[in-house]
């Protein structure tokens, strides 16, 4: 070879039929740190082409030393879309281009666990619902899978790529992963999710960000009164307008539920009479008692 001449090395598969939504998946890494002037390619040759002729191969995807993997010494999984060749018999080749006699001198290419499978599609429409102070229901849409891996962590943390497997696409979570720390009120979180299929997994998608409720913002996340007597000094301006409904059943006229509100919860240890008062009794203010969240806006026990 002359100085600076580009050399190509081919590692081609036998003929293989590409499935619907076919995808080449493999684990890979480099050998040397830094830019060695290497180009890593995936190419495809039709069944009727000469497998020993480099001109028979069509480029599908390529990487350089800079973008093959994040860390040259750590394996990463790659997924290459082969859906354009669905139903066809082709040869799939790993091609390494380098200039061996001129600095930089080229690298080696580690490839392992090579498979061609039907693509496992990424979940879509990530959301978080039924959020309380210490839990949230995570939801997403998914096609072709019945299991998913979820990593939930504080909003400021970096994802690890390791989560917990759920067999439902609307699990209720109460801890972060992988640290398994309980969710806390008024805290920002995020989650990532990937689908698990019969022969592969999808790419991770996310993050989706949400925050746990603050005490008092909703009936499902109230300020809990643990013992009587109980007293507090506060103002509804410190909260939000999350519930707009009529009190229903215990007062007549305007219920003033159109503005900010704060929810408290108390579970009585025995039957008896409880007195609740609000001071001062300013204009456009109200106080209502409901038996459980399901009755808010349906029927109240007492109100003023």
């Amino acid at each position: 070879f002359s100085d600076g001449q580009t050399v190509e090395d081919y590692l081609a598969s036998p003929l293989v039929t590409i499935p619907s939504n076919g995808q080449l998946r493999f684990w890979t890494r480099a050998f040397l740190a830094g830019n060695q002037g290497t180009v890593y390619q995936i190419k495809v040759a039709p069944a009727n082409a000469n497998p020993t002729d480099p001109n028979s191969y069509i480029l599908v995807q390529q990487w350089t030393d800079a973008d093959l993997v994040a860390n040259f010494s750590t394996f990463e999984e790659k997924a290459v879309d082969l859906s354009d060749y669905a139903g066809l018999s082709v040869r799939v080749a790993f091609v390494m281009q380098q200039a061996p006699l001129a600095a930089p001198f080229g690298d080696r290419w580690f490839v392992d666990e090579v498979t061609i499978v039907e693509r496992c599609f990424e979940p879509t429409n990530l959301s978080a619902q039924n959020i309380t102070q210490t839990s949230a229901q995570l939801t997403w849409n998914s096609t072709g899978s019945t299991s998913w891996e979820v990593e939930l962590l504080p909003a400021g943390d970096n994802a690890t790529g390791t989560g917990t497997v759920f067999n439902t696409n609307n699990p209720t979570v109460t801890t972060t992963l992988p640290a398994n720390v309980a969710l806390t009120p008024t805290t920002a979180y995020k989650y990532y999710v990937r689908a698990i299929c019969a022969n592969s997994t999808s790419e991770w998608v996310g993050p989706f960000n949400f925050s746990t409720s603050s005490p008092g913002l909703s009936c499902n996340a109230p300020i809990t009164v643990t013992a009587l007597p109980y007293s507090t000094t506060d103002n509804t301006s410190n909260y939000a307008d999350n519930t707009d409904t009529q009190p229903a059943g215990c007062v007549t006229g305007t219920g003033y539920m159109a503005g900010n509100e704060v929810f408290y919860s108390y579970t009585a240890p025995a039957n008896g009479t409880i007195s609740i008062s609000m001071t001062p009794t300013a204009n456009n203010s109200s106080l209502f008692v409901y038996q459980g969240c399901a009755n808010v806006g349906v029927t109240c026990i007492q109100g003023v």
Side-chain angles (χ1 to χ4, degrees):
F1 303 109
S2 61
D3 189 27
Q5 180 180 1
T6 298
V7 176
E8 289 187 334
D9 291 313
Y10 279 72
L11 176 63
S13 74
L15 286 174
V16 58
T17 301
I18 306 300
S20 176
N21 299 310
Q23 190 178 63
L24 170 69
R25 301 186 70 94
F26 61 96
W27 288 83
T28 187
R29 52 156 287 196
F31 182 74
L32 299 172
N35 179 18
Q36 305 302 320
T38 312
V39 177
Y40 310 87
Q41 298 178 327
I42 301 297
K43 293 185 176 182
V44 168
N48 59 357
N50 181 356
T52 62
D53 181 3
N55 295 320
S56 298
Y57 290 84
I58 303 167
L59 178 65
V60 177
Q61 189 166 338
Q62 72 177 20
W63 304 269
T64 66
D65 286 312
D67 55 21
L68 178 66
V69 291
N71 184 334
F72 79 96
S73 62
T74 302
F75 275 90
E76 290 182 12
E77 188 178 25
K78 296 294 184 182
V80 178
D81 183 17
L82 298 179
S83 59
D84 288 345
Y85 304 94
L88 301 179
S89 291
V90 299
R91 289 181 172 85
V92 178
F94 292 81
V95 182
M96 185 168 64
Q97 294 181 345
Q98 50 191 329
L101 300 181
F105 300 103
D107 203 345
R108 305 175 192 178
W109 191 6
F110 291 92
V111 175
D112 197 6
E113 296 185 16
V114 179
T115 58
I116 296 177
V117 296
E118 185 172 349
R119 178 183 173 185
C120 190
F121 286 96
E122 290 78 17
T124 60
N125 298 328
L126 277 61
S127 182
Q129 303 175 1
N130 299 324
I131 298 171
T132 71
Q133 297 177 54
T134 57
S135 67
Q137 184 182 21
L138 311 182
T139 66
W140 56 85
N141 295 338
S142 192
T143 301
S145 56
T146 57
S147 295
W148 299 268
E149 186 177 5
V150 175
E151 182 175 4
L152 168 66
L153 62 162
D157 288 4
N158 295 323
T160 66
T162 300
T164 291
V165 174
F166 294 95
N167 295 319
T168 174
N169 60 343
N170 58 354
T172 297
V173 292
T174 58
T175 58
T176 63
L177 301 171
N180 292 323
V181 177
L183 304 191
T184 58
T186 323
T187 303
Y189 295 96
K190 63 184 177 184
Y191 77 92
Y192 300 81
V193 59
R194 66 177 175 180
I196 301 174
C197 299
N199 298 306
S200 64
T201 59
S202 76
E203 300 299 316
W204 286 99
V205 292
F208 183 87
N209 293 273
F210 69 94
S211 295
T212 48
S213 295
S214 298
L217 281 177
S218 70
C219 188
N220 291 321
I223 296 172
T224 301
V225 178
T226 58
L228 300 182
Y230 172 83
S231 178
T232 185
T233 300
D234 209 337
N235 194 304
T236 53
S237 63
N238 296 325
Y239 298 86
D241 180 19
N242 293 325
T243 305
D244 287 335
T245 182
Q246 287 300 308
C250 58
V251 297
T252 59
T254 304
Y256 302 117
M257 290 284 281
N260 285 10
E261 65 276 327
V262 55
F263 285 87
Y264 296 84
S265 173
Y266 177 70
T267 301
N271 292 337
T273 301
I274 296 175
S275 175
I276 305 172
S277 62
M278 179 173 63
T279 303
T281 55
N283 291 336
N284 303 336
S285 60
S286 302
L287 182 64
F288 301 106
V289 180
Y290 297 94
Q291 185 172 355
C293 293
N295 283 312
V296 174
V298 178
T299 180
C300 53
I301 298 173
Q302 188 56 270
V304 60

